[in-house]
Amino acid sequence: MKEVFFILLCLHIAGGGLGLLMGTLILFLRKGDRNHRKLGLLFYGGMCLAGATSLVMAVLHPNYFLFIVGIFTLYMNLSAKRYLRFKKKGQEAQLLDYVISTFMLVFGIVFIAFGIYLLIQAKNFGIVFLVFGSIGLRFVWQDYQFQQSGYSIRLAWLSQHIQRMMGTYIASLTAFLVVNSSIFPHFIPSFVFWLLPGFIVGPLIGRFVKKYTQKA
């Protein structure tokens, strides 16, 4: 079992490292060209590997950190890729799209409920569950709105793709900071490393959405 876990850990580090590197490059390079698409595929593949291995490792050795990152990364990454289909007119949601949304809906509710439970127990880590659960449910609601619109909202696919890929990048940066939190001053609460990437990178999401949806 130790050997299996070690292999999974190596795959997780490789996928997460690739995703973090490619995601950082994408932030600073021109969007929409051939290089962007190539780097985007590498980012997508790396984060799928990181997310999937997180869930398996979290089952083998129960770990809040791996579980939250795995759930959030897989949903954001998979749904971001699925939204690219709607660039072509006439597309409709398929069974996989509903499965992905339901997946996040269930765990979003679980995260919020468990976060409240932890706060009642005076454990600040409950804040992390509340934040990630709320963000997940917000995106599920956007999935529902897009489906109800008949997939006809102009450039909604592009807005959702940008938001979710950026969300996946935030997850990878969060994982990096949490794993390496020991190099920072010990008086910083652990939940800060979970929430800091969102506060730093989050504002860029609205900026990129506005810039590229207006340009398209």
Side-chain angles (χ1 to χ4, degrees):
M1 186 63 71
K2 290 183 178 180
E3 291 78 8
V4 173
F5 189 85
F6 178 74
I7 293 173
L8 289 171
L9 179 60
C10 290
L11 292 173
H12 175 75
I13 293 173
L18 177 64
L20 183 59
L21 176 60
M22 295 301 103
T24 302
L25 289 174
I26 291 171
L27 280 180
F28 295 100
L29 296 179
R30 183 179 178 181
K31 311 297 185 292
D33 59 10
R34 181 178 299 178
N35 288 330
H36 174 85
R37 290 190 289 272
K38 289 181 178 179
L39 293 177
L41 286 175
L42 290 173
F43 174 79
Y44 173 76
M47 295 313 299
C48 277
L49 179 60
T53 50
S54 286
L55 290 184
V56 178
M57 289 190 295
V59 171
L60 294 177
H61 293 282
N63 185 300
Y64 288 161
F65 162 66
L66 288 174
F67 192 73
I68 294 177
V69 169
I71 294 293
F72 197 75
T73 298
L74 284 177
Y75 169 72
M76 298 296 281
N77 201 37
L78 291 173
S79 62
K81 186 72 163 56
R82 296 293 296 176
Y83 266 99
L84 289 177
R85 296 174 50 253
F86 295 101
K87 180 178 181 179
K88 183 179 179 180
K89 293 183 178 180
Q91 295 294 316
E92 294 186 358
Q94 299 176 347
L95 177 60
L96 179 58
D97 299 301
Y98 293 114
V99 170
I100 293 172
S101 294
T102 303
F103 172 83
M104 190 66 248
L105 173 63
V106 171
F107 281 105
I109 294 172
V110 171
F111 283 177
I112 290 177
F114 193 61
I116 293 173
Y117 170 77
L118 289 179
L119 290 178
I120 292 175
Q121 300 296 316
K123 296 180 180 179
N124 289 334
F125 199 78
I127 297 173
V128 174
F129 276 97
L130 288 177
V131 170
F132 277 81
S134 298
I135 293 174
L137 291 182
R138 173 178 173 268
F139 280 108
V140 171
W141 174 246
Q142 290 180 355
D143 290 340
Y144 174 76
Q145 288 182 308
F146 187 60
Q147 293 161 6
Q148 292 301 303
S149 73
Y151 320 100
S152 60
I153 301 177
R154 182 178 180 274
L155 297 180
W157 66 269
L158 179 57
S159 173
Q160 292 300 324
H161 173 73
I162 293 172
Q163 292 182 62
R164 289 152 197 264
M165 278 303 186
M166 292 286 286
T168 308
Y169 177 74
I170 289 174
S172 69
L173 184 57
T174 299
F176 176 80
L177 289 180
V178 171
V179 169
N180 295 283
S181 60
S182 60
I183 68 176
F184 297 97
H186 296 295
F187 62 81
I188 301 177
S190 62
F191 69 86
V192 170
F193 298 106
W194 283 86
L195 304 180
L196 187 61
F199 284 107
I200 295 175
V201 182
L204 293 176
I205 297 177
R207 180 179 177 183
F208 284 149
V209 168
K210 182 178 180 180
K211 178 180 179 179
Y212 291 103
T213 55
Q214 287 183 345
K215 181 187 297 185

